[in-house]
Amino acid sequence: YIRPTEINVGLLVKELTTPRFAEYHIFFSGIISTGLLRLVAENDSHELVKQVQEFYGDYLPINRDLLSLNCRNTIAMSVNAGTAWAR
């Protein structure tokens, strides 16, 4: 799950050039430009990328290991939805 920036795509291209895994499923956190997507495709010479998807997951990084979706009353929403929080 990566942001579709030039820096991140550059790192992804570097990974695809010398792959460590048998396959890759890439999920971008927003819209990726045609040029950057083309760059990924052109550098997948081993054809290990099995899927590429765009998910619109805007969030606020608070720390390196913590983030927020910036939604208020999420516990209350979970309780009202009948999840485990309600039990």
Side-chain angles (χ1 to χ4, degrees), residues 59-70:
Y59 58 88
L60 303 171
I62 297 170
N63 294 330
R64 293 185 73 196
D65 58 346
L66 180 65
L67 63 93
S68 169
L69 297 175
N70 205 24

Side-chain angles (χ1 to χ4, degrees), residues 7 9 17 21 28-29 32 34 36 39-40 65-67 70-71 84 86:
I7 293 172
V9 169
T17 304
F21 302 101
F28 290 103
S29 65
I32 184 169
T34 304
L36 290 178
L39 184 64
V40 171
D65 58 346
L66 180 65
L67 63 93
N70 205 24
C71 297

Side-chain angles (χ1 to χ4, degrees), residues 3 6 9 13-15 19 21 23 38 44 57-58 60 63 65 68-69 73-74 80-81 83:
R3 292 181 61 210
E6 289 184 29
V9 169
V13 163
K14 183 178 177 183
E15 172 66 27
F21 302 101
E23 62 185 40
R38 182 174 286 123
D44 183 23
D58 293 331
L60 303 171
N63 294 330
D65 58 346
S68 169
L69 297 175
N73 301 322
T74 54
N80 292 337
T83 62

Side-chain angles (χ1 to χ4, degrees), residues 11 13 18-20 37 44 50 53 57 59 61 64 68 72 74-75:
L11 293 170
V13 163
T18 55
R20 293 181 284 168
L37 185 59
D44 183 23
K50 302 302 178 191
Q53 294 190 29
Y59 58 88
R64 293 185 73 196
S68 169
R72 296 176 187 218
T74 54
I75 298 291

